[in-house]
């Protein structure tokens, strides 16, 4: 019953799909990946975000330094993602499982932190441990699915777990901070406290409960990582094959591509570069808002710490719907690359003006307005990952996935919180104007890159050719009696 409850949290699906996951190794692998993504995002985004103000009050850490703590996770990812894609691709389950076990241990270490350097180290190690999960999991799914049109749907299903984890982290973090209250004034004023990372101010309230959340979720992440470490490498007999020019069987074994040559090929791909920039500027907005949204509710809208976490969690169902909706759209329409670019550009252009909602003075009105750009901002994520795999050579798929995630960190989630944190510390701009400025700049640049990518995309007539089926694929498309009660399943071994 405990395992079934965890599955319900991770997948938000029906009881029948749970039965399918029990009987089908591929669905079981998807479930495990979803749970890993859920707990990774729960700790790295949800709990970290919910407890930032506790660190500010308990240890006297300035907002700019809080932003540095936030971006250490993504900095570790940037440094390790490309080596992970190049050298750890041979055994994906062991790479992901071992990394998540390290992530769990680092989460426990973060909970024991008592000073600014310890929080930095904990965040950095968590970033190193979760890198194989975000780089290799989507390639692992692609390797085990015969009908490539269904890959975006599975990717969207996995991506939808990450905001669910953020909700759990925000809610649990808020519960542990229920007794952590103060009487500090809130509003649009910009106090300028002295930056201090060594002196701890006198403690007048109990804010230490947040540590236990990192102990609990770190332990669960460690156990799930060990579990995934011992899973199978392949889940069906389908192997991606290509034909020789003379049509006689498989290609001969190709010479491995060096990391430098792989980067050269990817960075000279005009569409991929535009895709990287569009994704990066989306992350610039999303990471900045997510990192400081609880602080906006608390310091600007005068809400308590726990209520600020709960208000922030309201946005997450819209992010879940956006992740799942983007993948489902491609599964239903099977659009070519040009139409996919058009969806990205339209969603960004329509959502940008709604960030002016930061000027509202009611928490409920603010949430109602910001839910619209939150949905539109994250809707193209599954589409972006689908394009990134289709516009490069098959052997460069791991490197392409790594670059997409690196760009989202290097252009987005690393500078985003830092820029917003610096503006919040500045005296020449109000807090509300700082949020609006960061949001409009990031969303506007993402829209421009998407429009240019749409312009350079190939016509759909050339891109939407049907993927030829092998005899094995046609055989696998026939449902078996065992799989029939659980619905469509073209990935189970027959």
């Amino acid at each position: 019953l405990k395992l079934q409850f965890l599955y319900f949290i991770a997948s938000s699906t029906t009881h029948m799909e749970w039965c399918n996951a029990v009987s089908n190794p591929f669905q079981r692998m998807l479930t495990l990946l979803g749970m890993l993504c859920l707990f990774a995002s729960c700790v790295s985004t949800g709990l970290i975000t919910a407890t930032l103000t506790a660190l500010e009050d308990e240890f006297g850490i300035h907002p700019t330094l809080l932003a540095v703590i936030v971006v250490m996770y993504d900095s570790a990812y940037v440094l390790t993602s490309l080596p992970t894609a190049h050298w750890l691709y041979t055994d994906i389950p062991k790479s992901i499982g071992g990394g998540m076990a390290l992530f769990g241990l680092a989460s426990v270490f973060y909970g024991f932190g008592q000073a600014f350097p310890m929080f930095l180290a904990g965040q950095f190690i968590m970033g190193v441990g979760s890198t194989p999960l975000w780089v290799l999991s989507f390639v692992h799914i692609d390797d085990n699915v015969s009908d490539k049109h269904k890959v975006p749907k599975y990717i969207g299903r996995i991506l939808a777990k990450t905001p669910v984890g953020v909700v759990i982290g925000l809610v649990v973090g808020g519960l542990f901070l229920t007794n952590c209250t103060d009487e500090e004034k809130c509003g649009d004023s910009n106090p300028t406290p002295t930056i201090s990372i060594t002196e701890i101010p006198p403690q007048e309230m109990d804010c230490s409960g947040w540590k236990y959340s990192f102990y609990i979720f770190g332990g669960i992440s460690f156990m799930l990582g060990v579990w995934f470490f011992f899973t199978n490498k392949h889940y069906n007999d389908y192997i991606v094959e290509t034909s020789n020019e003379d049509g006689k069987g498989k290609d001969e074994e190709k010479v491995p591509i060096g990391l430098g040559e792989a980067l050269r090929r990817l960075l000279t791909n005009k569409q991929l570069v535009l895709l990287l920039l569009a994704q990066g500027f989306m992350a610039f907005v999303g990471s900045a808002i997510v990192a400081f949204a609880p602080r906006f509710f608390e310091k600007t809208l005068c809400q308590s710490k726990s209520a600020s976490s709960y208000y922030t969690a309201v946005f997450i169902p819209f992010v879940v719907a956006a992740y799942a909706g983007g993948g489902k759209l491609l599964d239903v329409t099977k659009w070519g690359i040009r139409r996919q670019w058009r969806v990205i550009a339209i969603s960004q252009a329509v959502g940008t003006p709604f960030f002016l909602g930061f000027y509202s003075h009611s928490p409920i009105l603010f949430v109602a307005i910001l839910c619209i750009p939150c949905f539109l901002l994250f809707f193209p994520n599954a589409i972006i990952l689908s394009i990134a795999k289709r516009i490069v050579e098959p052997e460069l798929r791991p490197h392409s996935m790594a670059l997409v995630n690196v760009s989202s960190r290097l252009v987005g989630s690393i500078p985003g919180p830092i820029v917003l944190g610096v503006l919040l510390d500045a005296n020449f701009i109000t807090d509300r104007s700082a949020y609006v400025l960061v949001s409009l700049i990031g969303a506007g640049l993402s829209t421009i890159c998407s429009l240019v990518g749409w312009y350079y995309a190939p016509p759909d007539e050339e891109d939407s050719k049907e993927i030829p089926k092998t005899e094995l694929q046609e055989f696998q498309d026939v449902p078996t009696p065992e799989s029939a009660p659980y619905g469509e399943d073209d990935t189970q071994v027959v």
Side-chain angles (χ1 to χ4, degrees):
L1 289 176
K2 292 180 180 179
L3 289 175
Q4 186 172 356
F5 175 71
L6 287 175
Y7 175 79
F8 278 3
I9 295 177
S11 62
S12 303
T13 53
T14 62
H15 177 73
M16 194 65 68
E17 289 181 271
W18 161 248
C19 297
N20 196 10
V22 171
S23 63
N24 186 341
F26 177 78
Q27 295 294 336
R28 191 158 56 244
M29 182 269 290
L30 285 181
T31 302
L32 271 176
L33 277 179
M35 294 171 70
L36 289 174
C37 291
L38 183 144
F39 284 104
S41 60
C42 173
V43 176
S44 64
T45 303
L47 291 180
I48 294 293
T49 301
T51 57
L52 282 181
T53 54
L55 297 183
E56 183 180 1
D57 295 335
E58 185 176 357
F59 299 101
I61 300 177
H62 202 258
T64 302
L65 297 179
L66 293 178
V68 175
I69 293 176
V70 172
V71 302
M72 282 304 294
Y73 177 86
D74 295 319
S75 301
Y77 182 92
V78 169
L79 295 175
T80 57
S81 58
L82 284 173
T84 297
H86 192 69
W87 286 296
L88 298 183
Y89 175 59
T90 54
D91 198 335
I92 294 180
K94 285 183 171 52
S95 300
I96 294 177
M100 285 304 297
L102 177 64
F103 175 91
L105 296 176
S107 174
V108 175
F109 175 81
Y110 186 94
F112 281 106
Q114 293 293 327
F116 177 75
M118 295 185 68
F119 299 129
L120 285 184
Q123 271 282 72
F124 187 86
I125 299 173
M126 279 192 279
V128 172
S130 63
T131 296
L133 174 67
W134 304 117
V135 171
L136 300 176
S137 58
F138 304 129
V139 180
H140 192 45
I141 293 173
D142 193 57
D143 288 341
N144 288 278
V145 175
S146 57
D147 186 356
K148 299 306 177 186
H149 288 305
K150 294 187 177 296
V151 173
K153 179 180 70 173
Y154 293 133
I155 291 177
R157 187 184 301 178
I158 295 297
L159 287 176
K161 310 301 185 299
T162 58
V164 174
V166 175
V167 167
I168 295 175
L170 289 171
V171 172
V172 172
L175 290 175
F176 278 101
L177 292 173
T178 302
N179 296 326
C180 182
T181 59
D182 56 24
E183 298 180 355
E184 182 181 352
K185 294 182 180 180
C186 61
D188 291 328
S189 59
N190 291 309
T192 56
T194 303
I195 298 178
S196 174
I197 61 175
T198 57
E199 297 181 1
I200 300 178
Q203 189 66 26
E204 300 178 355
M205 51 190 170
D206 182 17
C207 293
S208 60
W210 61 270
K211 299 175 181 290
Y212 298 103
S213 59
F214 285 91
Y215 303 154
I216 296 171
F217 287 102
I220 296 175
S221 300
F222 175 82
M223 290 186 290
L224 289 176
V226 173
W227 187 358
F228 198 84
F229 183 88
F230 294 102
T231 58
N232 295 327
K233 185 176 180 181
H234 296 292
Y235 298 89
N236 55 29
D237 293 334
Y238 174 75
I239 298 178
V240 178
E241 299 178 0
T242 55
S243 299
N244 291 321
E245 294 181 358
D246 56 359
K248 297 179 180 179
K250 301 178 182 178
D251 285 337
E252 295 181 359
E253 186 175 353
K254 297 182 179 180
V255 179
I257 301 176
L259 181 58
E261 175 63 18
L263 288 176
R264 187 194 65 80
R265 293 189 188 182
L266 293 174
L267 295 179
T268 54
N269 188 322
K270 186 181 302 183
Q271 280 198 74
L272 182 62
V273 172
L274 290 169
L275 196 71
L276 298 179
L277 292 175
Q279 171 75 351
F281 290 125
M282 291 180 200
F284 181 87
V285 180
S287 60
I289 293 178
V290 169
F292 286 99
R295 188 182 188 278
F296 178 81
F297 282 107
E298 180 183 350
K299 306 294 184 181
T300 306
L301 297 180
C302 306
Q303 305 297 310
S304 65
K305 285 182 170 59
S306 57
S308 299
S309 297
Y310 302 151
Y311 272 121
T312 305
V314 174
F315 295 113
I316 307 303
F318 295 90
V319 181
V320 174
Y323 279 139
K328 187 64 176 178
L329 177 68
L330 293 189
D331 180 44
V332 173
T333 61
K334 296 179 174 56
W335 280 342
I337 293 178
R338 188 174 182 83
R339 290 186 179 181
Q340 294 179 35
W341 269 113
R342 182 171 62 187
V343 172
I344 298 173
I346 293 176
S347 65
Q348 301 305 296
V350 173
T352 300
F354 287 94
F355 286 111
L356 295 174
F358 276 103
Y359 285 116
S360 62
H361 292 270
S362 168
I364 298 177
L365 179 61
F366 170 73
V367 170
I369 296 175
L370 264 291
C371 284
I372 299 174
C374 280
F375 177 84
L376 296 174
L377 183 70
F378 293 99
F379 184 80
N381 272 270
I383 301 175
I384 288 174
L385 294 174
S386 174
I387 296 176
K389 290 190 286 78
R390 295 179 63 181
I391 60 179
V392 300
E393 298 90 334
E395 62 271 18
L396 294 180
R397 289 175 304 146
H399 304 79
S400 177
M401 292 293 99
L403 274 183
V404 169
N405 288 281
V406 165
S407 68
S408 69
R409 269 77 175 178
L410 201 58
V411 180
S413 54
I414 291 178
I418 292 179
V419 171
L420 182 55
V422 171
L423 290 176
L424 292 174
D425 289 336
N427 294 321
F428 61 85
I429 188 172
T430 64
D431 286 358
R432 296 179 188 273
S433 298
Y435 285 99
V436 172
L437 181 63
V438 169
S439 302
L440 293 182
I441 290 176
L445 292 175
S446 176
T447 302
I448 293 173
C449 293
S450 303
L451 291 172
V452 177
W454 180 14
Y455 176 79
Y456 283 109
D460 286 342
E461 291 77 16
E462 300 178 6
D463 177 67
S464 58
K465 296 178 181 179
E466 290 291 332
I467 300 176
K469 286 190 175 183
T470 63
E471 294 181 2
L472 178 59
Q473 285 178 269
E474 294 176 354
F475 184 66
Q476 285 179 328
D477 285 340
V478 180
T480 61
E482 294 181 356
S483 64
Y486 310 126
E488 181 184 1
D489 182 13
D490 63 343
T491 59
Q492 186 173 358
V493 181
V494 181

